[in-house]
């Protein structure tokens, strides 16, 4: 009944030019360039080495735990807000249904 129409690929229109022939060129060797000077070897590392002390490890663990707890609390509060909203909408629907049903019985 309802079938989509698949478009067909249109044929190219206008004047098409034939492919051009590329003539090979000869390579003339020149004088070789002198090799670049070797790069100097760095003695010290460019970035400082990170040293983890027991205090640093404790701070990292505490910070990670705090982030996980905060994100978890936010997600749980969002879930609770959605659940409360759903329950309130359900209660309103039941009340409206009972009001409409009782109104039709009295007439």
């Amino acid at each position: 009944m309802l079938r989509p129409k698949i478009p067909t690929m249109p044929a190219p229109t206008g004047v098409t030019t034939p492919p051009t022939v590329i003539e090979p060129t000869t390579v003339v060797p020149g004088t070789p360039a002198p090799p670049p000077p070797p790069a100097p070897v760095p003695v010290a590392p460019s970035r400082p080495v990170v040293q983890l002390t027991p205090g640093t490890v404790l701070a990292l663990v505490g910070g990670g735990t705090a982030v996980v707890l905060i994100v978890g609390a936010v997600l749980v509060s969002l879930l609770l807000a959605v659940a409360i909203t759903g329950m309130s909408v359900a209660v309103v629907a039941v009340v409206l249904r009972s009001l409409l049903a009782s109104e039709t019985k009295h007439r």
Side-chain angles (χ1 to χ4, degrees):
M1 188 168 94
L2 296 174
R3 294 191 179 187
K5 293 183 179 180
I6 301 173
T8 58
M9 181 62 93
T13 58
V15 179
T16 59
T17 59
T20 59
V21 177
I22 299 174
E23 297 285 332
T25 58
T26 59
V27 177
V28 178
T31 59
V41 179
V43 178
S46 59
R47 292 187 292 173
V49 178
V50 177
Q51 295 179 355
L52 295 177
T53 61
T56 308
V57 172
L58 190 62
L60 287 175
V61 169
T65 304
V67 168
V68 167
L69 289 177
I70 290 171
V71 170
V74 168
L75 291 178
V76 167
S77 65
L78 286 174
L79 182 64
L80 187 62
V82 169
I84 290 172
T85 304
M87 289 298 294
S88 64
V89 168
V91 168
V92 167
V94 168
V95 168
L96 284 177
R97 183 176 176 188
S98 68
L99 286 175
L100 290 175
S102 66
E103 186 174 307
T104 57
K105 287 183 182 179
H106 290 298
R107 289 186 177 190

